[in-house]
Amino acid sequence: MAGKLTLSVSQLNEYIRRMLQLDPMLHGVELKGEISNLKFHQTGTIFFTLKDELSSIACVMYASYAAKLQAAPFEGMRAVVSGSVGFYTKGGQLQFYANNLRAEGVGVLYERLMALKAKLAGEGLFAQERKRALPAFPDTIGVVTSPTGAVIHDIMNVSLRRNPDARILLCPVRVQGIGAADEVVQAIELLEKMDSVSVIIVARGGGSMEDLWTFNEEAVVRAVAACSKPVVSAVGHETDVTLCDLAADLRAPTPSAAAECVVPLKSEILSRLSEMRSAIAGAVLWQIERKQTAMDMLSARLSLCHPQRRLQEEARQLAQKREALVRCMEKHMESARRLLEQRRRELEMLSPYRVLARGYAIVTKEGMPVLAASQLAAGDSVVLRFADGIARAQIEETENKEG
């Protein structure tokens, strides 16, 4: 009986690893199964388990291979994984080292696409009433696409041909592969915050369903639907329809068509500006005329109601009343004058001084008229008033006719 071989755990695991590495049957293998326990490491490496009805195997895809995937794998995905069988000596674990991964037939991705489409449609993300019109005169046009390739060049060429003054702001992103969806979401959110950006174009060239899968990712679709600025989706060719297209305010069949829709012709801008200028001038002139008419009416009303005009009217009425009063007073004075003259003449007729002119005299004693001789006595002093003056005399003797 041969002696027993004693190995350390490390030696055994290393031996198993080498044996597996030397077996050509375990290289270039394609495994079919369902993905579970999917984990994305911060380094870019993907860990998952591939299983069928009876068995499972741990799988790992390093970041260099994961970066080349057209679409990110998801939990429950039925997939075909290419790679080789290896042994992780440190943990003593058999693993499948994947270098490529694709869906097992288009049906898998299509089923997931239809399920997500139904979910988002139920939330109203594709509703027509949510669509907004594109700005007639955009300031800056934000573009979310790859900085390389024909897409950005097509957009630039069409935009500058239509309007040499067009302002295009590129926010470069990866348009496929793991992490591309996050970059697209961040680009949309960044452009949304920029005040100068009026509209956003999300674009990429054509490709398979896997190539376009970034624009079917739920995060991207929700970012497009939630954007406060109009979004134009130009993903793939005319026959390609992504969920991003359905959520956008406008779907363009190609990136060039998106530029045609967003960038107005400079000649049209100048023509519309001229029309608007004429319309504004006409409206301003009409407003001026209307305001002038209203001002004239108010001025007339103000003139009628102005305090100075009222004072003038009151002064005019006062002058009329004064004149009437003067005429009335003159009339009364004339009437009084005539009456006074009449009374004067009457008084003159009755005045005793009038009799004096006929040779009579008025005799007064101590200022009192003497009406009878009996009022006098010898030695009394009297005053004789004649028509042309007075004379003073002394009574020497009185004689009473009755005696």
Side-chain angles (χ1 to χ4, degrees), residues 8-39:
S8 66
V9 174
S10 298
Q11 290 173 329
L12 177 61
N13 287 353
E14 180 63 21
Y15 176 79
I16 296 173
R17 185 188 71 78
R18 290 182 180 179
M19 292 297 295
L20 294 174
Q21 189 176 19
L22 293 174
D23 190 342
M25 291 289 296
L26 301 181
H27 296 277
V29 179
E30 286 191 344
L31 294 181
K32 295 193 299 183
E34 179 180 318
I35 293 176
S36 63
N37 301 321
L38 180 64
K39 297 178 182 178

Side-chain angles (χ1 to χ4, degrees), residues 1 10 56 72 86 92 140 176 194 210 296 299 320:
M1 183 176 180
S10 298
S56 64
T140 298
Q176 65 185 54
M194 301 180 69
E210 290 87 348
D296 291 342
S299 179
Q320 290 178 347

Side-chain angles (χ1 to χ4, degrees), residues 136-138 141 157-167 259-277:
F137 303 103
I141 300 167
N157 290 337
V158 172
S159 299
L160 297 178
R161 172 174 53 81
R162 292 177 64 83
N163 182 3
D165 299 323
R167 298 175 61 186
E260 294 273 356
C261 296
V262 171
V263 181
L265 286 169
K266 186 172 183 178
S267 58
E268 293 180 356
I269 294 176
L270 296 177
S271 176
R272 292 182 64 180
L273 286 176
S274 179
E275 293 175 359
M276 292 172 64
R277 187 180 296 110

